[in-house]
């Protein structure tokens, strides 16, 4: 029977010099890192690049994960920090501009409406201020509690609560036409 | 609880983040306030709406690409460490040699130019020695590049005559 290693065992091996073991961490978590990156950056290639950067950073600082209690939280923390820093760069503003101008191939009226709705949702989320956007992604798509989000974003629970209140109010206001139908 | 307070708590209420007392308070307000109940419904609807936006799958080769990138980063880091080690040795050794040379030089200069018990320095009281020593020095350090410390030492000892070792066509 194959021995099942915990994430902590794997990281211990990485810290001890077995860098190949880090591949197991990558395999286990690359999807969630990509997902959060994609939702935040709203661009496929950027999300791919960001995922690479997250794991490169994690690999370089493998010994620091213990402060976060779990590999998942640690990787999320790195993802959050890198995404928010990326969002501040001028490059992101150019990428967002490019993304908004992308028009997909026509797929029939219903498909286009559905696509349009999804584009509108992504745009509204993408236009949220950076901290609100990240808190929303972690709450809605990762299912994290306010306490967990607060720890990862290095904020208080009440701060996270305020971020989500404002984010939701913006969503309600800008996506009202879709919620009436739903 | 008034509407203003209730609206501030609706988000946390919806996310089940209120404690028991907070939840009870909001419950009580919602039972009697149609406006806040409607607000909660709108919030739940938009929350449900955005859940429908899925993320695309990452490329299947992504884990391999990531680990390959880590290997390259590791090699680059290892290479940087190797170079730092390589440069560190001669640099550290050079620093040690420079200190030792400085001590020796100071000692030698002191011997030459400090007055002895008779008030005269070695240089001043042994012209023949100086001449012989200077010649030895000049011969020994004739290959010294212009501008090096040894070059200037020879220059100083040989009465300041500066050798112009630039190519003839560049000389004034």
């Amino acid at each position: 029977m194959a021995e099942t290693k915990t994430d902590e065992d794997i990281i211990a091996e990485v810290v001890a010099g077995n860098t190949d073991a880090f591949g197991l961490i990558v395999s286990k978590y690359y999807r969630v890192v990509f997902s959060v990156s994609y939702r935040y950056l709203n661009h496929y290639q950027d999300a791919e690049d960001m995922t690479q950067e997250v794991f490169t950073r994690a690999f370089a600082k493998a010994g620091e994960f213990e402060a976060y209690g779990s590999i998942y939280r640690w990787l999320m923390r790195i993802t959050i920090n890198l995404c928010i820093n990326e969002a501040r760069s001028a490059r992101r503003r150019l990428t967002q501009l490019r993304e908004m101008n992308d028009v997909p191939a026509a797929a029939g009226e219903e498909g286009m409406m559905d696509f349009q709705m999804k584009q509108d949702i992504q745009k509204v989320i993408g236009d949220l201020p950076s901290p609100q956007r990240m808190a929303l992604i972690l709450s809605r798509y990762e299912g994290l509690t306010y306490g967990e989000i607060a720890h990862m974003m290095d904020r208080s629970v009440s701060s996270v609560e305020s971020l989500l209140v404002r984010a939701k109010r913006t969503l309600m206001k800008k996506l009202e036409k879709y919620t009436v139908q739903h | 609880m008034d509407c203003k307070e209730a609206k501030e708590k609706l988000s946390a209420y919806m996310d089940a983040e209120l404690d028991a007392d907070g939840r009870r308070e909001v419950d009580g307000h919602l039972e009697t306030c149609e406006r806040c109940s409607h607000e909660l419904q709108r919030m739940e609807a938009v929350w449900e709406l955005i859940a429908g936006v899925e993320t695309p799958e990452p490329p299947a080769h992504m884990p391999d690409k990531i680990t390959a990138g880590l290997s390259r980063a590791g090699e680059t880091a290892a290479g940087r460490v190797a170079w730092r080690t390589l440069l560190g040795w001669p640099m550290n050794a050079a620093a040690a040699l420079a200190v030792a040379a400085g001590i020796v030089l100071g000692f030698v200069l002191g011997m030459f130019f400090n007055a002895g018990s008779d008030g005269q320095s070695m240089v001043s009281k042994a012209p023949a020695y100086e001449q012989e020593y200077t010649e030895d020095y000049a011969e020994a350090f004739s290959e010294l590049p212009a501008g090096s410390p040894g070059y200037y030492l020879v220059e100083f000892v040989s009465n300041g005559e500066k050798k112009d070792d630039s190519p003839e066509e560049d000389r004034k």
Side-chain angles (χ1 to χ4, degrees), chain A residues 22-23 30-31 34-35 38-39 44 48 52 55-56 59 121 136 139-141 145-146 168-169 172 179, chain B residues 8 11-12 14-15 17 39 42-43 46-47 49-51 53 55-59 62-63 65-67 70:
Chain A
F22 197 75
Y30 79 98
R31 277 199 173 82
F34 178 85
S35 175
Y38 179 82
R39 290 193 188 279
Y44 193 88
E48 214 182 318
Q52 175 81 53
F55 283 105
T56 301
F59 180 65
I121 292 170
L136 180 97
S139 174
R140 188 62 185 109
Y141 299 109
T145 65
Y146 288 13
K168 288 171 186 173
R169 282 182 182 157
M172 285 157 58
T179 56
Chain B
E8 288 295 321
S11 172
M14 187 183 77
D15 294 335
E17 289 278 348
E39 179 90 346
R42 287 177 60 218
M43 191 178 291
V46 81
W47 208 233
L49 176 73
I50 68 172
V53 179
T55 58
E57 273 291 304
M62 181 170 256
K65 189 180 172 191
I66 291 171
T67 48
L70 296 177

Side-chain angles (χ1 to χ4, degrees), chain B residues 6-86:
Chain B
K7 281 182 180 176
E8 288 295 321
K9 293 294 175 190
L10 284 181
S11 172
Y13 177 85
M14 187 183 77
D15 294 335
E17 289 278 348
L18 294 180
D19 59 20
D21 288 341
R23 190 159 190 90
R24 231 183 338 264
E25 265 192 299
V26 175
D27 276 336
H29 181 82
L30 291 175
E31 280 174 9
T32 58
C33 182
E34 199 174 317
R35 222 163 94 175
C36 288
S37 294
H38 181 62
E39 179 90 346
L40 178 63
Q41 284 174 1
R42 287 177 60 218
M43 191 178 291
E44 287 171 338
V46 81
W47 208 233
E48 185 63 30
L49 176 73
I50 68 172
V53 179
E54 295 163 359
T55 58
E57 273 291 304
H61 63 268
M62 181 170 256
D64 293 334
K65 189 180 172 191
I66 291 171
T67 48
L70 296 177
S71 298
R72 281 196 299 275
E75 285 167 7
T76 305
R80 282 200 294 269
V81 170
W83 274 112
R84 277 200 298 272
T85 304
L86 181 66

